[in-house]
Coordinates of all heavy atoms in Angstrom, one line a residue:
E1 N 0.8 -1.2 0.0 CA 0.0 0.0 0.0 C 0.9 1.3 0.0 O 0.6 2.2 -0.7 CB -0.9 0.0 1.2 CG -2.0 1.0 1.1 CD -3.0 0.8 2.2 OE1 -3.2 -0.3 2.8 OE2 -3.6 1.8 2.6
N2 N 1.9 1.3 0.8 CA 2.8 2.4 0.8 C 3.5 2.6 -0.5 O 3.8 3.8 -0.9 CB 3.9 2.2 1.9 CG 3.9 3.3 2.9 OD1 3.1 4.3 2.8 ND2 4.7 3.2 3.9
D3 N 3.9 1.5 -1.2 CA 4.6 1.6 -2.5 C 3.7 2.4 -3.6 O 4.2 3.2 -4.3 CB 4.9 0.3 -3.1 CG 6.1 -0.3 -2.4 OD1 6.9 0.5 -1.8 OD2 6.3 -1.6 -2.4
G4 N 2.4 2.1 -3.6 CA 1.5 2.8 -4.5 C 1.4 4.2 -4.2 O 1.4 5.1 -5.1
R5 N 1.3 4.6 -2.9 CA 1.2 6.0 -2.6 C 2.5 6.7 -2.9 O 2.6 7.8 -3.4 CB 0.9 6.1 -1.1 CG 0.7 7.5 -0.6 CD 0.3 7.6 0.8 NE 0.0 8.9 1.1 CZ -0.7 9.3 2.2 NH1 -1.1 8.4 3.1 NH2 -0.9 10.6 2.5
E6 N 3.7 6.0 -2.6 CA 5.0 6.6 -2.9 C 5.1 6.8 -4.4 O 5.6 7.9 -4.9 CB 6.1 5.7 -2.4 CG 7.4 6.3 -2.2 CD 8.4 5.4 -1.5 OE1 8.0 4.9 -0.4 OE2 9.4 5.1 -2.1
T7 N 4.7 5.9 -5.2 CA 4.7 6.0 -6.7 C 3.9 7.2 -7.2 O 4.3 7.9 -8.0 CB 4.3 4.7 -7.4 OG1 5.1 3.6 -6.9 CG2 4.3 4.8 -8.9
M8 N 2.7 7.3 -6.6 CA 1.8 8.4 -6.9 C 2.4 9.8 -6.6 O 2.4 10.7 -7.4 CB 0.5 8.3 -6.2 CG -0.6 9.2 -6.7 SD -2.2 8.9 -6.0 CE -2.0 9.8 -4.4
L9 N 3.1 9.8 -5.4 CA 3.7 11.1 -5.1 C 4.9 11.4 -6.0 O 5.1 12.6 -6.4 CB 4.2 11.0 -3.6 CG 3.2 11.0 -2.5 CD1 3.8 10.8 -1.2 CD2 2.4 12.4 -2.5
K10 N 5.6 10.4 -6.4 CA 6.7 10.7 -7.4 C 6.2 11.1 -8.7 O 6.7 12.0 -9.3 CB 7.6 9.4 -7.5 CG 8.4 9.1 -6.4 CD 9.3 7.8 -6.6 CE 10.1 7.5 -5.4 NZ 10.9 6.3 -5.5
A11 N 5.1 10.5 -9.1 CA 4.5 11.0 -10.4 C 4.0 12.4 -10.3 O 4.1 13.2 -11.2 CB 3.3 10.0 -10.8
E12 N 3.4 12.8 -9.2 CA 2.9 14.1 -9.0 C 4.1 15.1 -9.0 O 4.0 16.2 -9.6 CB 2.1 14.3 -7.7 CG 0.8 13.6 -7.7 CD 0.1 13.6 -6.4 OE1 0.6 14.2 -5.4 OE2 -1.0 13.0 -6.3
E13 N 5.2 14.7 -8.3 CA 6.4 15.6 -8.3 C 6.9 15.8 -9.7 O 7.3 16.9 -10.1 CB 7.5 14.9 -7.4 CG 7.2 15.0 -6.0 CD 8.3 14.3 -5.2 OE1 9.5 14.3 -5.6 OE2 8.0 13.8 -4.1
R14 N 7.0 14.7 -10.5 CA 7.4 14.7 -11.9 C 6.6 15.7 -12.7 O 7.1 16.5 -13.4 CB 7.5 13.3 -12.5 CG 8.1 13.3 -13.8 CD 8.3 11.8 -14.3 NE 7.3 10.9 -14.0 CZ 7.4 9.9 -13.1 NH1 8.5 9.7 -12.5 NH2 6.4 9.1 -12.9
Q15 N 5.3 15.6 -12.5 CA 4.3 16.4 -13.3 C 4.5 17.9 -12.9 O 4.5 18.8 -13.7 CB 2.9 16.0 -13.1 CG 2.5 14.7 -13.7 CD 2.7 14.7 -15.2 OE1 2.4 15.7 -15.9 NE2 3.3 13.7 -15.8
R16 N 4.7 18.2 -11.6 CA 4.9 19.5 -11.1 C 6.2 20.1 -11.7 O 6.3 21.2 -12.2 CB 4.9 19.6 -9.6 CG 5.0 21.0 -9.1 CD 5.1 21.1 -7.6 NE 6.4 20.7 -7.1 CZ 6.6 19.6 -6.3 NH1 5.6 18.9 -5.9 NH2 7.8 19.3 -5.9
F17 N 7.3 19.3 -11.7 CA 8.5 19.7 -12.2 C 8.4 20.0 -13.7 O 8.9 21.0 -14.2 CB 9.6 18.5 -12.0 CG 10.9 18.9 -12.6 CD1 11.7 19.9 -12.1 CD2 11.4 18.1 -13.7 CE1 13.0 20.1 -12.6 CE2 12.7 18.4 -14.2 CZ 13.4 19.4 -13.7
L18 N 7.7 19.2 -14.5 CA 7.5 19.4 -15.9 C 6.7 20.7 -16.2 O 7.0 21.4 -17.1 CB 6.8 18.2 -16.6 CG 7.7 16.9 -16.7 CD1 6.9 15.8 -17.2 CD2 8.9 17.2 -17.5
R19 N 5.7 20.9 -15.3 CA 4.9 22.2 -15.4 C 5.8 23.4 -15.2 O 5.7 24.4 -15.9 CB 3.7 22.2 -14.5 CG 2.5 21.5 -14.9 CD 1.3 21.8 -14.1 NE 1.5 21.6 -12.6 CZ 1.3 20.4 -12.0 NH1 0.9 19.4 -12.7 NH2 1.5 20.3 -10.7
E20 N 6.7 23.3 -14.2 CA 7.6 24.4 -13.9 C 8.6 24.7 -15.0 O 8.8 25.8 -15.4 CB 8.4 24.1 -12.6 CG 7.5 24.2 -11.3 CD 8.2 23.7 -10.1 OE1 9.4 23.3 -10.2 OE2 7.6 23.6 -9.0
L21 N 9.1 23.6 -15.6 CA 10.0 23.7 -16.8 C 9.2 24.4 -17.9 O 9.8 25.3 -18.6 CB 10.5 22.4 -17.2 CG 11.6 21.7 -16.4 CD1 12.0 20.4 -17.0 CD2 12.8 22.6 -16.4
K22 N 8.0 24.0 -18.2 CA 7.3 24.6 -19.3 C 7.0 26.0 -19.0 O 7.1 26.9 -19.9 CB 5.9 23.8 -19.5 CG 5.2 24.3 -20.7 CD 4.0 23.5 -21.0 CE 3.3 24.0 -22.2 NZ 2.1 23.3 -22.6
E23 N 6.6 26.4 -17.8 CA 6.4 27.8 -17.5 C 7.6 28.6 -17.6 O 7.6 29.7 -18.2 CB 5.9 27.9 -16.0 CG 4.4 27.4 -15.9 CD 4.0 27.3 -14.4 OE1 4.8 27.8 -13.5 OE2 2.9 26.8 -14.1
E24 N 8.8 28.1 -17.2 CA 10.0 28.8 -17.4 C 10.4 28.9 -18.8 O 10.8 30.0 -19.3 CB 11.1 28.0 -16.6 CG 12.5 28.7 -16.7 CD 13.5 27.9 -15.9 OE1 13.2 27.2 -14.9 OE2 14.7 27.9 -16.4
D25 N 10.1 27.9 -19.6 CA 10.4 27.9 -21.0 C 9.6 28.9 -21.8 O 10.1 29.5 -22.7 CB 10.2 26.5 -21.6 CG 10.5 26.4 -23.0 OD1 11.7 26.7 -23.4 OD2 9.6 26.1 -23.8
E26 N 8.3 29.0 -21.4 CA 7.5 30.0 -22.0 C 8.0 31.4 -21.9 O 7.7 32.3 -22.7 CB 6.0 29.9 -21.5 CG 5.4 28.6 -21.9 CD 5.3 28.3 -23.4 OE1 5.1 29.2 -24.2 OE2 5.4 27.1 -23.8
K27 N 8.7 31.7 -20.8 CA 9.3 33.0 -20.6 C 10.6 33.2 -21.4 O 11.0 34.3 -21.6 CB 9.6 33.2 -19.1 CG 8.4 33.2 -18.2 CD 8.8 33.2 -16.8 CE 7.6 33.0 -15.9 NZ 8.1 32.8 -14.5
S28 N 11.2 32.1 -21.9 CA 12.4 32.2 -22.6 C 12.2 32.3 -24.1 O 11.3 31.7 -24.7 CB 13.2 30.9 -22.4 OG 14.2 30.7 -23.4
P29 N 13.0 33.1 -24.8 CA 12.8 33.3 -26.3 C 13.1 32.0 -27.1 O 12.7 31.8 -28.2 CB 13.7 34.4 -26.6 CG 14.8 34.4 -25.6 CD 14.1 33.9 -24.3
A30 N 13.9 31.1 -26.5 CA 14.3 29.9 -27.2 C 13.3 28.8 -27.1 O 13.3 27.9 -28.0 CB 15.6 29.4 -26.7
H31 N 12.4 28.7 -26.2 CA 11.3 27.7 -26.1 C 11.9 26.3 -26.2 O 11.3 25.5 -27.0 CB 10.2 28.0 -27.1 CG 9.5 29.3 -26.9 ND1 8.8 29.6 -25.8 CD2 9.5 30.4 -27.7 CE1 8.3 30.8 -25.9 NE2 8.7 31.3 -27.1
I32 N 12.9 25.9 -25.5 CA 13.5 24.6 -25.6 C 12.5 23.5 -25.3 O 12.5 22.5 -26.0 CB 14.7 24.5 -24.6 CG1 15.8 25.5 -25.1 CG2 15.3 23.1 -24.6 CD1 16.9 25.7 -24.1
F33 N 11.7 23.6 -24.2 CA 10.9 22.5 -23.9 C 9.5 22.5 -24.6 O 8.9 21.5 -24.7 CB 10.6 22.5 -22.3 CG 11.9 22.4 -21.6 CD1 12.5 23.5 -20.9 CD2 12.6 21.2 -21.5 CE1 13.7 23.3 -20.2 CE2 13.8 21.0 -20.9 CZ 14.3 22.1 -20.2
S34 N 9.1 23.6 -25.0 CA 7.7 23.7 -25.6 C 7.8 23.1 -27.1 O 6.8 22.7 -27.6 CB 7.2 25.1 -25.7 OG 8.0 25.9 -26.6
G35 N 8.9 23.2 -27.7 CA 9.0 22.7 -29.1 C 8.8 23.7 -30.1 O 9.1 23.5 -31.3
S36 N 8.2 24.9 -29.8 CA 8.0 25.9 -30.8 C 9.3 26.6 -31.1 O 10.3 26.6 -30.4 CB 7.0 26.9 -30.3 OG 7.5 27.6 -29.2
C37 N 9.4 27.1 -32.3 CA 10.6 27.8 -32.8 C 10.5 29.2 -32.4 O 9.6 29.9 -32.7 CB 10.7 27.7 -34.4 SG 12.1 28.5 -35.0
G38 N 11.6 29.7 -31.7 CA 11.7 31.1 -31.3 C 12.0 32.1 -32.4 O 12.0 33.3 -32.2
I39 N 12.3 31.6 -33.6 CA 12.6 32.4 -34.7 C 11.4 32.6 -35.6 O 10.9 33.8 -35.8 CB 13.8 31.9 -35.6 CG1 15.0 31.8 -34.7 CG2 14.0 32.8 -36.8 CD1 16.2 31.1 -35.4
C40 N 10.8 31.5 -36.1 CA 9.7 31.7 -37.0 C 8.3 31.4 -36.3 O 7.3 31.6 -37.0 CB 9.8 30.7 -38.2 SG 9.7 28.9 -37.7
S41 N 8.3 31.1 -35.1 CA 7.1 30.9 -34.2 C 6.3 29.7 -34.6 O 5.2 29.6 -34.2 CB 6.3 32.1 -34.2 OG 7.0 33.2 -33.7
T42 N 6.9 28.7 -35.4 CA 6.1 27.5 -35.7 C 5.9 26.8 -34.4 O 6.8 26.6 -33.6 CB 7.0 26.6 -36.7 OG1 7.2 27.3 -37.9 CG2 6.3 25.3 -37.0
E43 N 4.7 26.4 -34.1 CA 4.3 25.8 -32.8 C 4.9 24.5 -32.6 O 5.4 24.2 -31.5 CB 2.8 25.7 -32.7 CG 2.1 27.0 -32.4 CD 2.4 27.5 -31.0 OE1 2.5 26.7 -30.1 OE2 2.6 28.7 -30.9
A44 N 4.9 23.6 -33.6 CA 5.4 22.2 -33.4 C 6.1 21.8 -34.6 O 5.6 21.0 -35.4 CB 4.3 21.3 -33.0
P45 N 7.3 22.3 -34.9 CA 8.0 21.9 -36.1 C 8.4 20.4 -36.1 O 8.6 19.8 -35.0 CB 9.3 22.7 -36.1 CG 9.5 23.1 -34.7 CD 8.1 23.2 -34.0
N46 N 8.3 19.8 -37.2 CA 8.6 18.3 -37.3 C 10.1 18.0 -37.1 O 10.4 16.9 -36.6 CB 8.2 17.8 -38.7 CG 6.7 17.8 -39.0 OD1 6.0 17.7 -38.0 ND2 6.3 17.9 -40.2
R47 N 10.9 19.0 -37.4 CA 12.3 18.8 -37.2 C 12.9 20.0 -36.5 O 12.6 21.1 -36.8 CB 13.0 18.6 -38.5 CG 12.5 17.4 -39.3 CD 13.1 17.2 -40.7 NE 13.3 18.5 -41.4 CZ 14.3 18.7 -42.2 NH1 15.2 17.8 -42.5 NH2 14.5 19.9 -42.8
R48 N 13.8 19.7 -35.5 CA 14.4 20.8 -34.7 C 15.9 20.6 -34.8 O 16.4 19.5 -35.1 CB 13.9 20.8 -33.3 CG 12.5 21.1 -33.2 CD 12.0 21.4 -31.8 NE 12.4 20.5 -30.8 CZ 12.5 20.9 -29.5 NH1 12.2 22.1 -29.1 NH2 13.0 20.0 -28.6
A49 N 16.6 21.6 -34.4 CA 18.1 21.6 -34.3 C 18.5 22.3 -33.0 O 17.8 23.2 -32.5 CB 18.7 22.2 -35.5
V50 N 19.7 21.9 -32.5 CA 20.3 22.6 -31.3 C 21.6 23.2 -31.7 O 22.4 22.7 -32.5 CB 20.5 21.6 -30.2 CG1 21.4 20.5 -30.5 CG2 20.9 22.3 -28.9
F51 N 21.8 24.5 -31.2 CA 23.0 25.2 -31.5 C 24.0 24.6 -30.5 O 23.8 24.6 -29.3 CB 22.9 26.7 -31.3 CG 22.0 27.3 -32.4 CD1 20.7 27.7 -32.1 CD2 22.4 27.3 -33.7 CE1 19.9 28.3 -33.1 CE2 21.6 27.9 -34.7 CZ 20.4 28.3 -34.4
S52 N 25.1 24.0 -31.0 CA 26.0 23.2 -30.3 C 26.8 24.0 -29.2 O 27.2 23.4 -28.2 CB 27.0 22.5 -31.2 OG 27.7 23.4 -32.0
A53 N 27.1 25.3 -29.4 CA 27.9 26.0 -28.4 C 27.1 26.5 -27.2 O 27.6 26.7 -26.1 CB 28.5 27.2 -29.1
C54 N 25.8 26.7 -27.4 CA 25.0 27.3 -26.3 C 23.8 26.4 -25.9 O 23.2 26.7 -24.8 CB 24.5 28.7 -26.7 SG 23.5 28.7 -28.2
G55 N 23.3 25.5 -26.7 CA 22.2 24.6 -26.4 C 20.8 25.2 -26.7 O 19.8 24.5 -26.4
H56 N 20.7 26.4 -27.3 CA 19.4 26.9 -27.7 C 18.9 26.0 -28.9 O 19.7 25.5 -29.7 CB 19.5 28.4 -28.1 CG 19.7 29.2 -27.0 ND1 20.9 30.0 -26.8 CD2 18.9 29.5 -25.9 CE1 20.8 30.7 -25.6 NE2 19.6 30.4 -25.1
V57 N 17.6 25.9 -29.0 CA 16.9 25.1 -29.9 C 16.0 25.9 -30.8 O 15.4 26.8 -30.4 CB 16.1 24.0 -29.2 CG1 15.4 23.1 -30.2 CG2 17.0 23.1 -28.3
T58 N 16.0 25.5 -32.1 CA 15.1 26.2 -33.1 C 14.7 25.1 -34.1 O 15.1 24.0 -34.0 CB 15.8 27.3 -33.8 OG1 14.9 28.1 -34.6 CG2 17.0 26.9 -34.6
C59 N 13.7 25.4 -35.0 CA 13.4 24.5 -36.0 C 14.6 24.3 -36.9 O 15.4 25.2 -37.1 CB 12.1 24.9 -36.7 SG 12.3 26.2 -37.9
R60 N 14.7 23.1 -37.5 CA 15.8 22.8 -38.4 C 15.8 23.7 -39.6 O 16.9 24.1 -40.1 CB 15.8 21.4 -38.8 CG 17.2 21.0 -39.3 CD 17.4 19.5 -39.6 NE 16.9 18.6 -38.6 CZ 16.8 17.3 -38.8 NH1 17.2 16.8 -39.9 NH2 16.2 16.6 -37.8
A61 N 14.7 24.1 -40.1 CA 14.6 25.0 -41.3 C 15.3 26.3 -41.0 O 16.1 26.9 -41.8 CB 13.2 25.2 -41.8
C62 N 15.0 26.9 -39.8 CA 15.6 28.2 -39.4 C 17.1 28.0 -39.2 O 17.9 28.9 -39.6 CB 15.0 28.7 -38.2 SG 13.3 29.5 -38.5
A63 N 17.5 26.9 -38.6 CA 19.0 26.7 -38.4 C 19.7 26.5 -39.7 O 20.8 27.1 -39.9 CB 19.2 25.4 -37.5
E64 N 19.1 25.8 -40.7 CA 19.7 25.7 -42.0 C 19.8 27.0 -42.7 O 20.7 27.3 -43.4 CB 18.9 24.6 -42.8 CG 19.1 23.2 -42.2 CD 18.2 22.2 -42.8 OE1 17.2 22.5 -43.5 OE2 18.5 21.0 -42.6
T65 N 18.7 27.8 -42.6 CA 18.7 29.2 -43.2 C 19.9 30.0 -42.6 O 20.6 30.7 -43.4 CB 17.4 29.9 -43.0 OG1 16.4 29.1 -43.7 CG2 17.4 31.3 -43.6
L66 N 20.0 30.0 -41.3 CA 21.1 30.8 -40.7 C 22.4 30.3 -41.1 O 23.3 31.1 -41.4 CB 21.0 30.6 -39.1 CG 19.9 31.4 -38.5 CD1 19.7 31.0 -37.0 CD2 20.1 32.9 -38.6
A67 N 22.6 29.0 -41.3 CA 23.9 28.4 -41.7 C 24.2 28.8 -43.2 O 25.3 29.2 -43.5 CB 23.9 26.9 -41.6
A68 N 23.1 28.8 -44.0 CA 23.3 29.1 -45.4 C 23.7 30.6 -45.5 O 24.6 31.0 -46.3 CB 22.1 28.8 -46.2
Q69 N 23.0 31.5 -44.7 CA 23.3 32.9 -44.8 C 24.8 33.2 -44.3 O 25.5 34.0 -44.8 CB 22.3 33.7 -43.9 CG 21.0 33.8 -44.5 CD 20.0 34.4 -43.5 OE1 20.2 34.5 -42.3 NE2 18.8 34.8 -44.1
A70 N 25.2 32.5 -43.2 CA 26.5 32.6 -42.7 C 27.6 32.2 -43.7 O 28.6 32.9 -43.9 CB 26.7 31.8 -41.4
E71 N 27.3 31.1 -44.4 CA 28.2 30.6 -45.4 C 28.3 31.6 -46.5 O 29.4 31.9 -47.0 CB 27.8 29.2 -45.9 CG 28.8 28.6 -46.9 CD 28.3 27.2 -47.3 OE1 27.5 26.5 -46.6 OE2 28.8 26.8 -48.4
E72 N 27.2 32.1 -47.0 CA 27.1 33.0 -48.1 C 27.9 34.3 -47.7 O 28.7 34.8 -48.6 CB 25.7 33.4 -48.4 CG 25.5 34.3 -49.6 CD 24.1 34.6 -49.9 OE1 23.3 33.6 -50.1 OE2 23.7 35.7 -50.0
D73 N 27.8 34.7 -46.5 CA 28.5 35.9 -46.0 C 29.9 35.6 -45.5 O 30.7 36.5 -45.1 CB 27.8 36.6 -44.9 CG 26.4 37.1 -45.3 OD1 26.2 37.3 -46.5 OD2 25.5 37.3 -44.4
E74 N 30.3 34.3 -45.6 CA 31.6 33.9 -45.2 C 31.9 34.2 -43.7 O 32.9 34.7 -43.3 CB 32.8 34.4 -46.0 CG 32.7 33.9 -47.5 CD 33.8 34.4 -48.4 OE1 34.7 35.1 -47.9 OE2 33.7 34.1 -49.6
N75 N 30.8 34.0 -42.9 CA 30.8 34.3 -41.4 C 30.5 33.0 -40.7 O 30.0 32.0 -41.3 CB 29.8 35.3 -41.0 CG 30.2 36.7 -41.5 OD1 31.4 37.0 -41.6 ND2 29.2 37.5 -41.9
A76 N 30.7 33.0 -39.4 CA 30.3 31.9 -38.6 C 28.8 32.0 -38.3 O 28.2 33.1 -38.4 CB 31.0 31.9 -37.2
I77 N 28.2 30.9 -38.0 CA 26.8 30.9 -37.5 C 26.7 31.5 -36.1 O 27.5 31.2 -35.3 CB 26.2 29.4 -37.4 CG1 26.3 28.8 -38.8 CG2 24.8 29.5 -36.9 CD1 26.0 27.3 -38.7
I78 N 25.8 32.4 -36.0 CA 25.6 33.1 -34.7 C 24.2 32.8 -34.1 O 23.2 32.9 -34.8 CB 25.7 34.7 -34.9 CG1 27.1 35.1 -35.5 CG2 25.5 35.4 -33.5 CD1 28.3 34.7 -34.6
C79 N 24.2 32.3 -32.9 CA 22.9 32.0 -32.3 C 22.1 33.3 -32.2 O 22.5 34.3 -31.6 CB 23.1 31.4 -30.9 SG 21.6 31.1 -30.0
P80 N 20.8 33.2 -32.7 CA 20.0 34.4 -32.6 C 19.5 34.7 -31.2 O 19.0 35.8 -31.0 CB 18.8 34.1 -33.6 CG 18.8 32.6 -33.5 CD 20.2 32.1 -33.4
F81 N 19.6 33.8 -30.3 CA 19.1 34.1 -28.9 C 20.2 34.7 -28.0 O 19.8 35.4 -27.1 CB 18.6 32.7 -28.3 CG 17.6 32.1 -29.2 CD1 17.8 30.9 -29.9 CD2 16.3 32.7 -29.4 CE1 16.9 30.3 -30.7 CE2 15.4 32.1 -30.2 CZ 15.7 30.9 -30.9
C82 N 21.5 34.3 -28.2 CA 22.5 34.7 -27.2 C 23.7 35.3 -27.9 O 24.7 35.6 -27.3 CB 22.9 33.6 -26.3 SG 23.7 32.2 -27.1
S83 N 23.7 35.3 -29.3 CA 24.8 35.8 -30.1 C 26.2 35.1 -30.0 O 27.2 35.6 -30.2 CB 25.1 37.3 -29.7 OG 23.9 38.0 -30.0
T84 N 26.1 33.8 -29.5 CA 27.3 33.0 -29.4 C 27.6 32.4 -30.8 O 26.7 32.0 -31.6 CB 27.0 31.8 -28.5 OG1 26.7 32.3 -27.2 CG2 28.2 30.9 -28.4
E85 N 28.9 32.4 -31.2 CA 29.3 31.7 -32.4 C 29.2 30.2 -32.2 O 29.6 29.7 -31.2 CB 30.8 32.1 -32.7 CG 31.3 31.7 -34.0 CD 32.7 32.2 -34.3 OE1 32.9 33.4 -34.2 OE2 33.5 31.3 -34.6
T86 N 28.6 29.6 -33.2 CA 28.2 28.2 -33.0 C 28.0 27.4 -34.3 O 28.2 28.0 -35.4 CB 26.8 28.1 -32.2 OG1 26.6 26.8 -31.8 CG2 25.7 28.7 -33.0
G87 N 27.8 26.2 -34.2 CA 27.3 25.3 -35.3 C 26.0 24.8 -34.8 O 25.5 25.2 -33.7
F88 N 25.4 23.9 -35.6 CA 24.1 23.3 -35.1 C 24.1 21.8 -35.4 O 24.8 21.3 -36.3 CB 22.9 24.0 -35.7 CG 22.6 23.6 -37.1 CD1 21.8 22.6 -37.4 CD2 23.1 24.4 -38.1 CE1 21.5 22.2 -38.7 CE2 22.8 24.1 -39.4 CZ 22.0 23.0 -39.7
V89 N 23.4 21.1 -34.6 CA 23.2 19.7 -34.7 C 21.7 19.3 -34.8 O 20.9 19.8 -34.0 CB 23.8 18.9 -33.5 CG1 23.6 17.4 -33.6 CG2 25.3 19.3 -33.3
P90 N 21.3 18.6 -35.8 CA 19.9 18.2 -35.9 C 19.5 17.3 -34.7 O 20.3 16.5 -34.2 CB 19.9 17.3 -37.2 CG 21.1 17.6 -38.0 CD 22.1 18.0 -36.9
L91 N 18.3 17.6 -34.2 CA 17.8 16.7 -33.1 C 17.0 15.6 -33.7 O 16.2 15.9 -34.6 CB 16.9 17.6 -32.2 CG 17.6 18.6 -31.3 CD1 16.5 19.4 -30.5 CD2 18.5 17.9 -30.3
F92 N 17.1 14.4 -33.2 CA 16.3 13.3 -33.6 C 15.4 13.0 -32.4 O 15.9 12.4 -31.4 CB 17.2 12.1 -34.0 CG 18.0 12.5 -35.2 CD1 19.3 12.9 -35.1 CD2 17.4 12.4 -36.5 CE1 20.0 13.3 -36.2 CE2 18.2 12.7 -37.6 CZ 19.5 13.1 -37.5
E93 N 14.2 13.4 -32.5 CA 13.2 13.3 -31.4 C 12.1 12.3 -31.8 O 11.7 12.2 -32.9 CB 12.6 14.6 -31.1 CG 13.6 15.7 -30.8 CD 13.0 17.1 -30.7 OE1 12.7 17.6 -31.8 OE2 12.9 17.5 -29.6
N94 N 11.6 11.6 -30.7 CA 10.5 10.8 -30.9 C 9.3 11.6 -30.5 O 8.9 11.7 -29.4 CB 10.6 9.6 -29.9 CG 9.6 8.6 -30.2 OD1 8.8 8.7 -31.1 ND2 9.5 7.6 -29.3
L95 N 8.7 12.2 -31.5 CA 7.5 13.1 -31.3 C 6.3 12.3 -31.1 O 6.0 11.4 -31.9 CB 7.4 14.1 -32.5 CG 8.6 15.0 -32.7 CD1 8.4 15.9 -33.9 CD2 8.9 15.9 -31.5
I96 N 5.5 12.7 -30.1 CA 4.3 11.9 -29.8 C 3.1 12.8 -30.3 O 3.0 13.9 -30.1 CB 4.2 11.6 -28.3 CG1 5.4 10.7 -28.0 CG2 2.9 10.9 -28.0 CD1 5.5 10.4 -26.5

């Protein structure tokens, strides 16, 4: 009986923690946990990418556009959220 109650409490803690992360994320321009793109505002892009130097996340289309513009201008990719010089890595996510 105690194990069931303990499991329920852990589940409630986990849900509270996830809610707190989401609330914090909604205040952030990068929206790491919500999945939305902080550049083009796509709510749930099918593909996302992470900027390797800083960890900010955007949709892959925006990351590829930034990379193409940087290459064309012969510059490094700059994170639009924190201005860090970076590269990007595609995220492979199991979207539900």
